[in-house]
Each structure stands twice: as structure tokens, then as C-alpha cells.
């Protein structure tokens, strides 16, 4: 009888041990186009008077262009952005900012706080996906102060040279990273059972999830899980299990 109870307690104990699953605590996404924020002076006029900064970044398939706060009482009244894999020309996209594809006029850009700042967000085109070379970017805005308006550009190379305040492009360097996400680690795990066959299983997790971007092609991680099972019957059995750390190799795949 004693042995029977003990063996059924052991069966129950191993069943509860099965609840303590090994879960991956790290995940590495496919390698993807990633551009950390790159900024450029924002200028107007033939003298290239600087009035602000414009910045661009690419993360998880979305490109973001931010028009930073302007100096000298200027506000943004119109935004236009063009992006390409070769330098702009008079034919493509032409010299008129109205022909650029990302603008507040079509909802790809928004002007915030009465013209203080602007932001454009749009999906990365498949032709932009490469882990090398540059993207060409044209950032234009109409800016205004109390005495009138100006057409302003992200500083760079003019592709039309017969104008003093010429249309300009700048470049951002393409790189690729894998996103490495670390999930909360279990900090306590307890499983208890009694001869009445009520059981509880508790797992606590830390609340934060962190993501970092990695350049290496391979990421290794180890996971250690501990479980302690206490079974109370006519006898008391305490078992402690400490599984070996699990080492898994996840490859950061280059898709291009
Ligand atoms: C407004 O902008 C013009 C350039 O368009 C500049 O010459 C002038 O000084 C600015 N006025 C004020 C009040 O900042």
C-alpha cells in the first residue's frame, strides 16, 4: 500500500515535471535592411542657410524621415521625400518636389504641432533591400516665417545646377542586422501536489522584453531551467531536478 501510494506519487511528480517546459528565451529574426538614424543639415537659399536637420532611419520594413524643429521662427508647411537606388536626375524624379512620392498631401507625411516638426513613414520598397551600398534620398519642405516662405532641402549634391537654391540629394548607407529578442526568463517555478490530487503550478516571469540588433551571423544562447517537486502522501518525497543548460544555435540568415 505504501509502495503503491509512493509510486502513484512518483507518477504524479513526473507528470508535474512535464509542466516545466523548456521555452526559447531568445529569438533571432531574419536578417533585414536596417539603417540607424542618419541626419543631414536642412538648408534654404543659394547660400545654404541652415534652419534645421532632417534624419532618416529604416527598421523592420519601414522607413522613417523626421524633419526636426526649425530655427528663426520658421514652420513647415509642406513636406516631400523621394528615395531611390540611383542618384536622382532631371528625368526621375524631376526637379519639382510635387512629383516626389512621399508627402503630407497623400498622408505619407504629417506635420505636427502647428508646423514645428514633420515625420514621413512609408514601407521599404523591395528594390531598396540590399545589405551594401547607399540609398539616395531627397528631403524637401516648404517653410515659412512671418515675412514669407522658402523652399528648403536636405543638404547634399545638386542634380539641377541652373538654380541657386538647387534640388539636392543625400545618401544613407545600407546595412543589415538580425533582431535578437530576449524574452522574460522564468525566475521561479514551483509545482506542488498532495494525495488529494490538487496541484498547482506557478511560473513567474520578468516583465520586460528587450530587442537588440546583432551583426554576427550566428547567435548562441543557453537556457537553464530548475524545478523542484514536493509530493506529500503517506510518505514525503522531495525531488529536485536541474536539467543541463540547453544550447541552441540560431543562424542570422542573409536574405539578399
Ligand atoms: C524670414 O525668412 C527670411 C528668408 O525667407 C529671412 O530673410 C528673414 O530674416 C526671416 N524673418 C524673420 C523675422 O525671422
Amino acid at each position: 500500500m505504501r509502495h503503491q501510494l509512493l509510486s502513484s506519487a512518483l507518477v504524479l511528480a513526473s507528470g508535474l515535471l512535464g509542466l516545466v517546459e523548456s521555452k526559447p528565451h531568445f529569438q533571432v529574426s531574419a536578417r533585414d535592411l536596417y539603417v540607424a538614424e542618419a541626419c543631414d543639415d536642412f538648408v534654404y537659399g543659394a547660400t545654404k542657410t541652415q534652419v534645421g536637420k532632417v534624419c532618416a532611419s529604416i527598421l523592420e520594413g519601414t522607413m522613417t524621415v523626421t524633419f526636426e524643429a526649425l530655427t528663426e521662427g520658421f514652420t513647415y508647411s509642406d513636406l516631400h521625400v523621394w528615395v531611390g537606388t540611383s542618384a536622382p536626375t532631371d528625368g526621375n524624379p524631376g526637379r519639382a518636389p510635387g512629383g516626389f512620392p512621399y508627402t503630407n498631401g497623400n498622408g505619407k507625411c504629417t506635420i505636427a504641432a502647428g508646423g514645428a516638426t514633420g515625420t514621413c513613414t512609408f514601407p521599404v520598397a523591395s528594390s531598396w533591400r540590399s545589405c551594401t551600398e547607399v540609398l539616395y534620398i531627397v528631403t524637401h519642405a516648404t517653410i515659412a516665417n512671418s515675412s514669407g516662405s522658402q523652399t528648403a532641402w536636405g543638404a547634399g549634391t545638386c542634380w539641377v545646377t541652373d538654380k541657386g537654391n538647387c534640388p539636392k540629394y543625400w545618401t544613407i548607407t545600407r546595412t543589415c542586422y538580425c533582431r535578437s529578442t530576449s524574452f522574460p526568463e522564468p525566475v521561479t517555478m514551483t509545482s506542488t501536489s498532495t494525495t488529494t490530487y490538487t496541484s498547482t503550478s506557478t511560473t513567474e516571469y520578468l516583465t520586460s522584453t528587450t530587442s537588440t540588433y546583432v551583426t554576427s551571423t550566428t547567435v548562441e544562447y543557453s537556457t537553464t531551467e530548475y524545478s523542484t517537486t514536493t509530493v506529500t502522501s503517506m510518505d514525503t518525497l522531495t525531488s529536485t531536478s536541474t536539467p543541463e543548460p540547453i544550447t541552441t544555435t540560431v543562424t542570422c540568415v542573409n536574405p539578399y
Side-chain angles (χ1 to χ4, degrees):
M1 187 61 187
R2 241 182 99 157
H3 281 107
Q4 240 175 348
L5 271 173
L6 187 57
S7 64
S8 55
L10 278 168
V11 167
L12 185 61
S14 59
L16 282 168
L17 277 173
L19 291 174
V20 184
E21 285 173 9
S22 161
K23 289 190 177 133
H25 296 154
F26 290 86
Q27 204 176 61
V28 177
S29 70
R31 203 161 180 232
D32 196 10
L33 182 60
Y34 171 94
V35 176
E37 189 175 69
C39 296
D40 188 37
D41 288 348
F42 200 61
V43 301
Y44 75 86
T47 54
K48 297 180 184 132
T49 306
Q50 192 191 344
V51 279
K53 290 252 180 209
V54 60
C55 302
S57 61
I58 294 176
L59 187 61
E60 292 174 17
T62 297
M63 183 160 182
T64 303
V65 176
T66 54
F67 292 81
E68 314 260 299
L70 295 164
T71 57
E72 295 171 18
F74 280 108
T75 55
Y76 293 104
S77 57
D78 214 3
L79 308 176
H80 299 98
V81 174
W82 177 90
V83 181
T85 53
S86 56
T89 65
D90 220 355
N92 176 32
R95 62 176 67 193
F100 302 165
Y102 309 111
T103 162
N104 52 305
N106 63 16
K108 302 288 184 192
C109 304
T110 53
I111 296 173
T117 59
T119 307
C120 305
T121 54
F122 42 89
V124 166
S126 55
S127 63
W128 305 349
R129 291 181 184 273
S130 164
C131 304
T132 58
E133 301 180 340
V134 299
L135 280 176
Y136 297 82
I137 175 168
V138 180
T139 45
H140 168 270
T142 303
I143 59 172
N145 69 6
S146 54
S147 55
S149 70
Q150 283 284 345
T151 191
W153 301 90
T157 307
C158 298
W159 79 86
V160 170
T161 51
D162 58 3
K163 290 179 77 165
N165 186 18
C166 56
K168 301 165 186 70
Y169 68 84
W170 51 294
T171 60
I172 56 176
T173 302
R174 287 183 280 187
T175 53
C176 291
Y177 285 71
C178 286
R179 188 186 66 229
S180 168
T181 304
S182 107
F183 296 106
E185 296 268 352
V187 288
T188 64
M189 285 190 179
T190 59
S191 298
T192 60
S193 73
T194 68
T195 46
T196 59
Y197 293 94
T198 58
S199 64
T200 59
S201 177
T202 307
T203 305
E204 285 180 24
Y205 291 93
L206 300 175
T207 52
S208 64
T209 300
T210 54
S211 291
T212 55
Y213 291 85
V214 294
T215 48
S216 63
T217 54
T218 302
V219 175
E220 290 185 14
Y221 62 87
S222 63
T223 306
T224 310
E225 307 257 5
Y226 300 94
S227 73
T228 303
T229 306
T230 306
V231 178
T232 306
S233 65
M234 288 179 71
D235 294 307
T236 298
L237 171 76
T238 301
S239 72
T240 303
S241 151
T242 305
E244 289 298 303
I246 302 158
T247 302
T248 305
T249 302
V250 182
T251 306
C252 177
V253 182
N254 187 344
Y256 313 129

